[in-house]
């Protein structure tokens, strides 16, 4: 029993047994101890344990054996605290390690007397290595877990990289952790973060070696291969020889260099300095490799985020620029998505549609952009649908009217184009449109004016020829009447024909005035009085009340007083006739400034606006276009020349006349005449006061009061006036004075003298007497062709009746001072 | 005087003597441990009870939810008995992590950890018994320590049952800290004696000269 027990204890245990006596001499050892000895075991027996294993005393572990021998007290020595008691070596893969031991020392007794002690050695090296590895793995795993937590919450590279270094230093068995950043060109790397107790030493080494490149060969290796590099100081690997030379002051035994990539390109190199002298388990290396991949993944996320943010910023800038551009341009712009929902509306579009961008966004285009045909009033086919269907740029049909949210209608010109994405797919439609209402109106006005001009030319031509024909008829009738003076019946027929030809002649005269005659004899006048008198004159006898509304500072205008009076008379007459049952006519005058953008067919500038409004029957829309056409009339007895003449007169004054009407309710005529800054009254007084002439003037007129008036006026102005009742008398008087070699300085001839020679005839004779005669034609009929074209008839000037002092002054100055 | 002393019959002075002896023991233990781990070790004793073994079983069950590591050792000589030291799991792990430091924190108790805890436990246990032994001036011999990681409550209960043959037990609740760090949990030392009266008498004799 004892023999077999001894055998088991000697050979069968994986424990080391050393028996010592009370003198610390070795009594026996078992096979486990023998096999771990570096020397021959036989020499140990009987020898003092402390002498055989001096390491025990040098490591101050002898007291634990002493206590057992001296106090009989058992002891347990753990490997973590003591490492080992008896120095044994373990060789693992050519690496020599000290055996880590749990040692128990028990007293040995024989018959209750202690005879020595038994040292039991349990090899825990493998256990400790495994535990250390597991602990290390646990720490590294924990570090990775924390790095992953950091990856989730880190906001940027700096926070991430700093955090990674701190975690690796605090949570793993690493001595120094630092990161080098690679330059954009990949040839320079600079340590940017360093953590650990030796970080100062390391950074000193870095700063003292400006040319790091050759020294950091492990870093270059990682950059070159893109793979992790591991080196151990003791390996003396020539590849990383310079590295360990560089790290001579850093207390580490191994270095891991890991590539940290962004978008597959090495950007940083993570260096981890470790204490492992000869090997680092593959599991740990894999974990660090995984860690580097995790950091790289995070950098990719940052990069993607940066790219995305950059793209978003560019997009925002572009969008803002586009928004500002769109809001700044003069055309309305509406963009929709491919379903026709509004996504953008610029400022002009807001104004034209009446929808704000905020309100319109998301609504269907048809709701916001409501268009109809100007004439048919039927909805237009959706331009958005058209673009989406055809995929091409389209223009709107003519006469498209946009109805704004508030019901205001505007004629628009528009085009639509598809919006395509990078792949050419249509993702929406953009509509660009502009308000051409004014333009359209102007075009219509221009067309109307051109038409009237053409009609005028035609009418003038016809009137001229017709006048010649009438002259032949009139002449021959006169001849016929003298041929058969005693045939009463024939005379009556001839008289009727003659009367008819006179009426026809009057008509041709009017037509000629409309067409080409009647050039305005302009002077600066205040028109408020003219308007009042002309309007009252026409309305006299009717049951129409006229309400005048005029500003006190109404400007003057340069106009032909007689013609303007005729315009007012024609317009008021039209209004009176529109209200057979009576009513009110309001006549408003105002100073206005016409701007370019008002879109009126007149030059921008200061104008007097005369608004004549009646509340009669109105004008139907179908008649509106033709209302200024000659011979267009809705009245049974009308000539159709009243409004045409008014239009013609205003146009010759560089003015404009327009009409608006709501049938059955109201008609409004607006007359624009250019205004002048100078006040007519000032000019009058100035001219009167300043003019002082001399010479003699012959006045031919059959009306005595007028002759007296002219006598007073001319005398006041320094002239000597002579008078004649008709043309014959005037010729005689002129001849007499001419013969006396003192001809009249000026002759004023009345155009028409009932029963006598008028001015038109008299001038011919006066010209025969004196080709240089200066004569002025005077008449109350300002639209008489002779008055308008007085030069053609040999006159030097024209004096419309009634005449004012200013007009006389003006006339005399213009003729006599030439 | 009977051979056995009831709780309420143990006079206050004797109890004070025992507590004083225990305190001396823990002082020695703390010194020994401080040298061992090369850091200041403080052992506090919030509770010392003298009770029957049966009551000790209940007391331990009430105090400790999960047993961790225990170490048992018989001693013979002028006084005979059994000591039992056990760590709670929390105390064991906390103690190890305090000794290992930040670099090697453990979540559980490993073989190396058991070994370390055994060494510490042995030092404490021996210190207490040695303190008593020194007082009664008698030689005490220690048997081989029986160390085990507790795997079965039954096993531990059987161990306690073995102690029922014994008389009274001194149950010491220890709270240990190293490097001024608090350690979660407690370790308990149960000193049971074959004849507690002999222990008390010897202590009284030594201390009071009676």
């Amino acid at each position: 029993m004892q023999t077999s027990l001894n055998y088991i204890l000697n050979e069968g245990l994986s424990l080391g047994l050393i028996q010592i006596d009370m003198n610390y001499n070795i009594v026996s050892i078992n096979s486990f101890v023998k096999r771990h000895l570096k020397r021959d075991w036989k020499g140990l027996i009987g020898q003092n344990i402390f002498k055989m294993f001096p390491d025990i005393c040098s490591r101050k572990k002898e007291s634990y054996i002493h206590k057992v021998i001296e106090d009989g007290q058992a002891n347990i020595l753990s490997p973590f605290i003591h490492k080992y008691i008896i120095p044994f070596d373990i060789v693992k893969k050519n690496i020599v390690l000290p055996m880590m031991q749990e040692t128990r020392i028990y007293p040995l007794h024989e018959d209750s007397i202690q005879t020595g002690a038994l040292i039991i050695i349990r090899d825990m090296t493998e256990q400790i290595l495994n535990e250390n590895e597991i602990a290390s793995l646990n720490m590294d795993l924990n570090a990775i877990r924390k790095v992953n937590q950091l990856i989730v919450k880190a906001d940027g590279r700096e926070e991430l990289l700093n955090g990674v270094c701190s975690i690796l230093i605090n949570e793993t068995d690493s001595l120094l952790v630092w990161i080098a950043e690679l330059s954009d060109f990949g040839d320079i790397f600079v340590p940017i973060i360093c953590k650990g107790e030796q970080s100062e030493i390391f950074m000193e080494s870095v700063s003292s070696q400006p040319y790091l490149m050759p020294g950091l060969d492990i870093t270059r290796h990682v950059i070159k291969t893109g793979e992790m590099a591991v080196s151990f100081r003791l390996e003396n690997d020539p590849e990383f020889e310079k590295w360990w030379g560089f790290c001579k002051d850093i207390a580490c035994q191994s270095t891991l260099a890991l590539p940290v990539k962004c978008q597959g390109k090495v950007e940083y190199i993570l260096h981890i300095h470790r204490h492992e002298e000869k090997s680092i388990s593959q599991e740990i290396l894999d974990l660090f490799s995984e860690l580097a991949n995790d950091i790289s993944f995070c950098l990719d996320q940052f990069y993607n985020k940066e790219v995305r943010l950059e793209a978003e910023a560019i997009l925002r800038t572009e969008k803002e620029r586009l928004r500002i551009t769109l809001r700044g341009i003069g055309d309305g712009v509406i963009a929709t998505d491919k379903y026709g929902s509004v996504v953008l509306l610029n400022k002009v579009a807001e104004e034209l549609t009446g929808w704000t961008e905020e309100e319109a966004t998301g609504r269907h285009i048809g709701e916001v952009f409501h268009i109809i045909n100007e004439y048919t009033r039927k909805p237009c086919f959706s331009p958005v649908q058209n673009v989406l269907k055809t995929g091409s740029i389209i223009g709107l049909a003519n006469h498209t009217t946009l109805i704004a949210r508030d019901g205001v209608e505007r004629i628009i010109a528009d085009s639509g184009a598809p919006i395509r994405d990078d792949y050419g797919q249509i993702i929406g439609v953009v509509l660009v449109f502009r308000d051409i209402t004014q333009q359209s109106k102007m075009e219509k006005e221009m067309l109307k004016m051109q038409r009237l001009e053409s009609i005028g030319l035609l009418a003038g031509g016809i009137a001229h020829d017709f006048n010649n024909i009438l002259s032949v008829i009139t002449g021959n009738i006169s001849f016929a009447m003298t041929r058969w003076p005693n045939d009463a019946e024939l005379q009556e027929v001839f008289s009727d024909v003659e009367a008819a030809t006179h009426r026809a002649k009057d008509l041709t005269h009017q037509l000629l005035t409309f067409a080409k005659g009647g050039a305005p004899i302009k002077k600066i006048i205040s028109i408020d009085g003219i308007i009042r008198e002309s309007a009252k004159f026409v309305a006299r006898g009717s049951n129409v009340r006229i309400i005048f509304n005029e500003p006190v500072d109404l400007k003057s205008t340069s106009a032909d007083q007689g013609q303007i009076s005729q315009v007012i008379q024609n317009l008021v007459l039209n209004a009176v006739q529109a209200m057979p049952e009576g009513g009110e006519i309001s006549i408003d005058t105002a100073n206005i400034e016409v701007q370019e953008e008002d879109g009126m067919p007149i030059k921008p500038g200061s104008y007097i606006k005369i608004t004549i409004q009646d509340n009669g029957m109105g004008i139907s829309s179908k008649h509106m276009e033709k209302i200024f056409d000659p011979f267009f009339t809705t009245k049974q007895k009308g000539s159709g020349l009243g409004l045409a003449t008014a239009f013609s007169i205003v146009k010759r004054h560089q003015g404009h006349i327009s009409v608006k009407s709501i049938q059955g309710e109201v008609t409004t005529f607006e007359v624009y005449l250019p205004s002048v800054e100078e006040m007519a009254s000032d000019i009058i007084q100035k001219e009167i006061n300043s003019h002082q002439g001399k010479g003699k003037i012959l006045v031919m007129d059959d009306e005595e009061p007028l002759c007296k008036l002219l006598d007073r006026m001319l005398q006041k102005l320094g002239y000597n006036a002579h008078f004649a009742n008709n043309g014959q008398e005037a010729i005689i008087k002129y001849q007499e004075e001419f013969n006396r070699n003192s001809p009249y300085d000026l002759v004023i001839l009345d155009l028409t003298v009932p029963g006598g020679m008028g001015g038109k005839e008299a001038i011919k004779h006066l010209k025969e007497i004196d080709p240089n005669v200066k004569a002025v034609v005077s008449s109350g009929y300002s639209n008489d062709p002779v008055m308008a074209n007085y030069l053609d008839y040999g006159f030097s000037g024209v004096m419309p009746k009634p005449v004012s002092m200013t007009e006389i002054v003006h006339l005399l100055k213009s003729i006599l001072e030439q | 005087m009977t051979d056995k002393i009831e709780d309420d019959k143990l006079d206050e002075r004797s109890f004070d003597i025992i507590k004083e002896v225990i305190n001396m023991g823990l002082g020695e233990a703390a010194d020994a441990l401080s040298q061992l781990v090369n850091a200041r070790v403080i052992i506090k004793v919030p509770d010392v009870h003298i009770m029957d073994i049966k009551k000790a079983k209940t007391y331990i069950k009430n105090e400790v939810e999960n047993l961790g590591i225990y170490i048992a050792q018989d001693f013979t000589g002028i006084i005979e008995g059994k000591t039992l030291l056990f760590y709670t799991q929390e105390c064991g792990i906390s103690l190890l992590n305090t000794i290992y430091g930040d670099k090697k924190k453990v979540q559980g108790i490993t073989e190396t950890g058991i070994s370390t805890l055994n060494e510490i436990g042995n030092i404490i246990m021996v210190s207490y018994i040695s303190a008593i032994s020194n007082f009664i001036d008698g030689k005490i011999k220690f048997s081989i320590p029986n160390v085990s990681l507790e795997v079965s409550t039954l096993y531990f209960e059987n161990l306690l049952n073995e102690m029922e043959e014994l008389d009274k037990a001194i149950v010491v609740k220890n709270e240990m800290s190293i490097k001024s760090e608090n350690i979660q949990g407690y370790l308990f030392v149960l000193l049971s004696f074959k004849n507690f009266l002999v222990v008390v008498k010897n202590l009284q004799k030594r201390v009071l000269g009676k």
Side-chain angles (χ1 to χ4, degrees):
Chain A
M1 175 70 186
Q2 190 62 36
T3 309
S4 79
L5 180 63
N6 282 341
Y7 179 79
I8 291 167
L9 290 175
N10 190 35
E11 300 292 337
L13 290 180
S14 58
L15 298 169
L17 299 177
I18 300 174
Q19 183 188 353
I20 57 171
D21 61 19
M22 294 300 281
N23 296 317
Y24 303 100
N25 293 327
I26 298 169
V27 175
S28 66
I29 55 174
N30 72 349
S31 294
F32 181 92
V33 176
K34 289 174 190 171
R35 287 172 196 137
H36 280 94
L37 281 173
K38 296 172 192 170
R39 49 188 290 179
D40 184 10
W41 65 272
K42 290 172 186 167
L44 287 179
I45 306 301
Q47 298 297 316
N48 184 286
I49 190 168
F50 301 126
K51 283 183 181 169
M52 290 298 103
F53 300 104
D55 199 65
I56 298 173
C57 294
S58 66
R59 294 177 62 242
K60 297 180 180 170
K61 302 295 179 186
E62 71 274 22
S63 62
Y64 297 100
I65 299 173
H66 285 310
K67 272 194 176 177
V68 180
I69 293 295
E70 289 164 16
D71 300 340
Q73 175 191 319
N75 258 324
I76 301 172
L77 286 79
S78 64
F80 182 78
I81 295 173
H82 303 279
K83 312 288 186 199
Y84 57 89
I85 293 293
I86 308 296
F88 291 150
D89 285 343
I90 294 226
V91 180
K92 283 175 77 77
K93 296 176 187 173
N94 297 325
I95 299 168
V96 179
L97 302 169
M99 179 195 283
M100 305 299 280
Q101 302 163 357
E102 183 195 68
T103 309
R104 298 185 180 201
I105 310 168
Y106 296 119
L108 288 176
H109 294 90
E110 207 171 300
D111 299 329
S112 298
I113 297 167
Q114 187 175 348
T115 56
L118 180 65
I119 301 168
I120 303 171
I121 300 160
R122 182 182 169 201
D123 176 10
M124 292 189 72
T125 313
E126 190 70 20
Q127 178 73 30
I128 287 172
L129 287 176
N130 285 338
E131 282 181 17
N132 284 346
E133 197 168 306
I134 289 167
S136 189
L137 271 171
N138 277 337
M139 287 167 76
D140 295 338
L141 275 172
N142 192 40
I144 287 181
R145 187 171 58 85
K146 290 197 172 177
V147 167
N148 283 332
Q149 287 170 350
L150 177 68
I151 283 170
V152 171
K153 66 179 181 185
D155 270 345
R157 290 182 177 215
E158 195 179 338
E159 185 186 348
L160 173 74
L161 299 177
N162 261 309
V164 166
C165 288
S166 297
I167 289 168
L168 290 177
I169 275 295
N170 296 330
E171 305 294 332
T172 70
D173 216 1
S174 304
L175 301 166
L176 183 74
V177 178
W178 59 281
I179 291 176
E181 185 179 27
L182 197 61
S183 70
D184 288 343
F185 299 105
D187 53 351
I188 297 171
F189 35 88
V190 182
I192 52 168
I193 301 162
C194 186
K195 302 275 181 184
E197 287 180 5
Q198 301 179 82
S199 58
E200 282 184 18
I201 301 170
F202 176 79
M203 291 312 276
E204 270 177 30
S205 299
V206 170
S207 58
S208 63
Q209 298 184 52
Y211 303 104
L212 273 178
M213 296 278 288
L216 302 178
D217 46 16
I218 196 167
T219 311
R220 280 191 291 119
H221 180 87
V222 173
I223 295 166
K224 191 177 168 186
T225 62
E227 301 289 336
M228 175 172 66
V230 186
S231 180
F232 296 90
R233 190 189 289 271
L234 299 177
E235 272 183 352
N236 297 319
D237 185 348
E239 190 179 4
F240 302 128
E241 189 181 351
K242 289 177 182 170
W243 166 251
W244 289 110
F246 175 77
C247 288
K248 61 182 183 296
D249 298 327
I250 312 294
C252 69
Q253 296 303 318
S254 49
T255 302
L256 277 77
L258 297 136
V260 178
K261 301 174 184 176
C262 183
Q263 299 293 300
K265 186 184 149 204
V266 177
E267 287 203 5
Y268 302 98
I269 302 93
L270 172 63
H271 300 78
I272 303 168
H273 295 238
R274 307 270 295 187
H275 59 80
E276 286 95 333
E277 292 180 353
K278 295 183 180 173
S279 76
I280 299 173
S281 77
Q282 192 56 46
E283 285 83 356
I284 290 177
L285 293 179
D286 289 346
L287 280 177
F288 278 116
S289 185
E290 193 182 319
L291 178 83
N293 289 340
D294 289 347
I295 301 167
S296 299
F297 171 77
C298 188
L299 288 185
D300 281 345
Q301 297 301 310
F302 286 150
Y303 176 81
N304 292 338
K305 188 180 171 186
E306 284 163 16
V307 168
R308 195 183 73 243
L309 288 174
E310 201 173 322
E312 282 174 1
I314 291 169
L315 196 64
R316 268 200 306 279
T317 308
E318 276 301 313
K319 205 171 172 183
E320 185 62 14
R321 188 180 297 147
L322 180 64
R323 196 182 68 81
I324 291 167
T325 306
L326 287 177
R327 289 195 81 80
I329 65 173
D331 288 354
V333 178
I334 299 178
T336 72
D337 61 17
K338 63 180 176 182
Y339 305 107
S341 296
V342 174
V343 295
L344 183 147
L345 198 82
N346 79 343
K347 194 166 182 288
V348 176
E350 283 183 342
E351 287 166 3
L352 295 181
T353 61
W355 291 85
T356 65
E357 187 174 23
E358 192 182 358
E359 290 169 334
T361 302
R363 289 180 188 269
H364 192 266
I365 185 68
E367 198 179 345
V368 176
F369 191 66
H370 183 202
I371 50 174
I372 59 166
N373 184 283
E374 183 185 358
Y375 299 120
T376 65
R377 309 289 297 171
K378 288 182 178 171
C380 294
F381 187 72
S382 167
V384 171
Q385 288 303 322
N386 217 346
V387 171
L388 290 172
K389 193 176 168 186
T390 62
S392 55
I393 299 169
I394 57 134
L396 271 192
N398 290 330
H399 312 299
T400 301
T401 297
L402 171 69
I403 303 176
R405 200 178 182 186
D406 57 3
V408 172
E409 296 186 6
R410 294 181 179 90
I411 301 165
I412 58 163
D414 180 31
S415 67
I419 305 170
R420 296 178 189 276
D421 62 13
D422 292 344
Y423 306 101
Q425 296 294 312
I426 296 175
I427 56 168
V429 173
V430 61
L431 296 177
V432 181
F433 54 99
R434 65 175 61 184
D435 179 4
I436 58 162
T437 309
Q438 289 297 337
Q439 186 187 334
S440 176
K441 199 171 150 188
M442 272 185 74
E443 283 172 2
K444 283 177 187 169
E445 285 291 333
M446 294 302 289
L447 278 172
K448 187 168 74 181
M449 285 164 69
Q450 283 168 7
R451 193 176 74 243
L452 288 173
E453 207 165 317
S454 301
I455 293 170
L457 281 172
L458 180 68
I462 293 169
H464 181 74
D465 291 346
F466 194 61
N467 212 28
N468 290 339
I469 296 164
L470 282 176
S471 297
V472 174
I473 294 170
T474 309
N476 283 301
I477 288 293
S478 300
F479 176 74
M481 285 177 80
T482 56
R483 188 78 174 79
W484 294 284
N486 299 321
D487 188 333
E489 192 179 355
L490 203 57
Q491 282 292 321
E492 191 180 345
V493 171
F494 286 149
S495 292
D496 288 347
V497 173
E498 191 176 34
T501 53
H502 281 305
R503 285 202 300 279
K505 209 170 177 180
D506 285 344
L507 196 60
T508 54
H509 282 169
Q510 280 190 54
L511 204 52
L512 281 167
T513 305
F514 157 73
K516 57 181 181 180
I521 304 157
K522 288 183 184 175
K523 56 185 181 182
I524 293 170
I525 54 170
S526 295
I527 61 165
D528 46 354
I530 297 166
I531 293 168
R532 278 175 176 272
E533 285 177 17
S534 304
K536 282 178 182 173
F537 177 76
V538 173
R540 195 170 294 145
S542 71
N543 53 355
V544 168
R545 192 164 74 95
I546 301 178
I547 300 163
F548 296 96
N549 186 15
E550 60 207 14
V552 290
D553 60 343
L554 188 68
K555 290 181 179 177
S556 300
T557 181
S558 176
D560 183 318
Q561 185 174 328
Q563 289 191 3
I564 295 304
S565 175
Q566 190 179 349
V567 169
I568 301 301
Q569 285 177 22
N570 289 354
L571 295 178
V572 174
L573 182 62
N574 203 66
V576 169
Q577 289 173 346
M579 297 185 292
E581 304 299 322
E584 276 186 359
I585 297 172
S586 68
I587 303 179
D588 298 346
T589 48
N591 299 314
I592 65 153
E593 288 293 321
V594 172
Q595 311 288 342
E596 184 82 50
E597 55 268 28
D598 292 335
M600 295 180 68
I602 45 177
K603 289 179 184 173
S606 300
Y607 286 82
I608 293 168
K609 181 182 176 185
I610 307 158
T611 308
I612 300 170
Q613 184 174 296
D614 68 64
N615 53 356
M617 59 190 74
I619 304 164
S620 70
S621 57
K622 66 177 182 179
H623 291 154
M624 287 291 278
E625 289 295 308
K626 299 173 182 174
I627 196 164
F628 293 111
D629 289 2
F631 305 114
F632 175 81
T633 180
T634 56
K635 300 163 196 155
Q636 285 186 342
K637 290 183 179 178
S639 68
L641 284 169
L643 292 180
T645 304
F647 185 91
S648 178
I649 289 170
V650 172
K651 191 190 158 204
R652 288 198 186 102
H653 279 80
Q654 285 76 48
H656 175 63
I657 183 167
S658 65
V659 61
K660 291 187 282 191
S661 181
I662 302 170
Q663 196 170 10
E665 287 183 22
V666 66
T667 302
T668 308
F669 282 94
E670 291 175 346
V671 178
Y672 298 84
L673 293 171
S675 64
V676 292
E677 288 303 317
E678 229 169 344
M679 295 302 290
S681 54
D682 297 343
I683 294 165
I684 294 165
Q685 204 54 49
K686 201 169 147 188
E687 287 187 346
I688 292 169
N689 293 341
S690 65
H691 188 80
Q692 193 60 46
K694 61 177 183 177
K696 54 184 182 181
I697 296 171
L698 177 61
V699 178
M700 184 276 275
D701 202 300
D702 60 324
E703 290 185 35
E704 195 181 341
L706 183 66
C707 289
K708 283 183 178 175
L709 173 69
L710 285 172
D711 187 27
R712 281 198 296 274
M713 286 180 170
L714 291 171
Q715 279 193 36
K716 181 173 171 52
L717 295 170
Y719 296 96
N720 193 7
H722 299 258
F723 294 91
N725 284 326
N726 53 48
Q728 290 88 343
E729 192 181 336
I731 293 163
I732 293 166
K733 284 193 172 181
Y734 193 90
Q735 184 71 63
E736 286 172 0
E737 293 301 308
F738 185 77
N739 292 342
R740 282 205 291 270
N741 209 21
S742 61
Y744 287 100
D745 294 297
L746 183 71
V747 181
I748 298 171
L749 298 172
D750 187 6
L751 184 62
T752 313
V753 177
M757 184 189 287
K760 186 178 165 188
E761 189 65 27
I763 186 67
K764 292 177 187 170
H765 297 287
L766 293 177
K767 283 279 181 185
E768 288 171 5
I769 298 166
D770 179 6
N772 295 321
V773 64
K774 288 180 180 174
V776 170
V777 63
S778 165
S779 175
Y781 303 100
S782 60
N783 57 350
D784 192 292
V786 179
M787 292 293 280
N789 306 302
Y790 57 90
L791 290 172
D792 296 345
Y793 294 89
F795 294 103
S796 301
V798 65
M799 191 179 84
K801 290 182 194 174
V803 68
S804 67
M805 192 71 172
T806 321
E807 288 166 337
I808 293 263
V809 170
H810 198 256
L811 184 71
L812 294 175
K813 278 176 76 176
S814 65
I815 296 172
L816 297 178
E817 291 179 7
Q818 275 180 357
Chain B
M1 185 179 278
T2 58
D3 284 351
K4 291 196 174 184
I5 299 174
E6 298 302 320
D7 282 358
D8 51 357
K9 288 181 181 170
L10 182 67
D11 63 85
E12 197 175 310
R13 176 166 289 194
S14 299
F15 190 66
D16 285 343
I17 290 169
I18 288 169
K19 282 209 288 186
E20 185 58 37
V21 171
I22 292 297
N23 272 325
M24 290 173 74
L26 70 89
E28 282 185 20
D31 286 346
L33 287 173
S34 294
Q35 284 175 18
L36 191 68
V37 298
N38 200 24
R40 182 174 162 74
V41 176
I42 299 163
I43 303 173
K44 290 180 186 170
V45 179
D47 266 330
V48 176
H49 295 280
I50 294 168
M51 58 183 80
D52 286 340
I53 291 297
K54 281 182 184 174
K55 285 183 181 171
K57 278 169 65 179
T58 313
Y59 170 82
I60 289 167
K61 278 181 182 175
N62 288 340
E63 283 284 328
V64 184
E65 278 186 18
N66 297 305
L67 293 175
I69 297 170
Y70 68 83
I71 174 167
Q73 195 170 25
D74 293 338
F75 54 91
T76 56
I78 191 165
I79 52 170
E80 289 184 18
K82 189 188 280 284
T83 60
L84 181 65
L85 178 141
F86 54 91
Y87 302 94
T88 61
Q89 281 276 1
E90 299 79 12
C91 179
I93 292 167
S94 180
L95 193 58
L96 287 174
N97 283 331
T98 309
I99 296 168
Y100 290 168
D102 291 341
K103 288 287 179 186
K104 198 187 172 184
K105 291 231 172 194
V106 291
Q107 306 292 322
I109 298 172
T110 61
E111 278 291 300
T112 316
I114 292 169
S115 183
T116 307
L117 291 174
N118 281 344
E119 183 175 354
I120 292 166
N122 186 55
I123 290 166
I124 295 168
M125 205 162 57
V126 168
S127 296
Y128 285 155
I129 292 298
S130 295
I132 295 170
S133 167
N134 289 340
F135 259 88
I136 58 180
D137 210 13
K139 194 83 174 172
I140 291 176
K141 287 192 283 187
F142 293 97
S143 72
I144 296 168
N146 178 348
V147 181
S148 179
L149 174 67
E150 200 279 318
V151 288
S152 161
T153 311
L154 181 65
Y155 189 92
F156 184 70
E157 283 192 1
N158 284 336
L159 182 72
L160 290 174
N161 289 340
E162 286 174 18
M163 298 171 77
E164 280 187 13
E165 297 171 4
L166 299 171
D167 187 357
K168 295 261 178 206
I170 304 169
V171 182
V172 186
K173 187 177 180 182
N174 299 272
E175 184 185 304
M176 187 192 293
S177 62
I178 301 173
K179 300 174 191 169
S180 302
E181 287 181 34
N182 285 327
I183 291 173
Q184 296 294 313
Y186 300 93
L187 58 93
F188 293 85
V189 179
L190 192 147
L191 309 168
S192 59
F193 303 94
K194 219 167 191 177
N195 191 335
F196 186 65
L197 189 61
V198 176
V199 177
V200 174
K201 278 185 175 173
N202 273 294
L203 287 174
Q204 284 175 340
K205 186 178 173 184
R206 176 65 188 258
V207 176
L208 303 173
K210 305 182 196 176

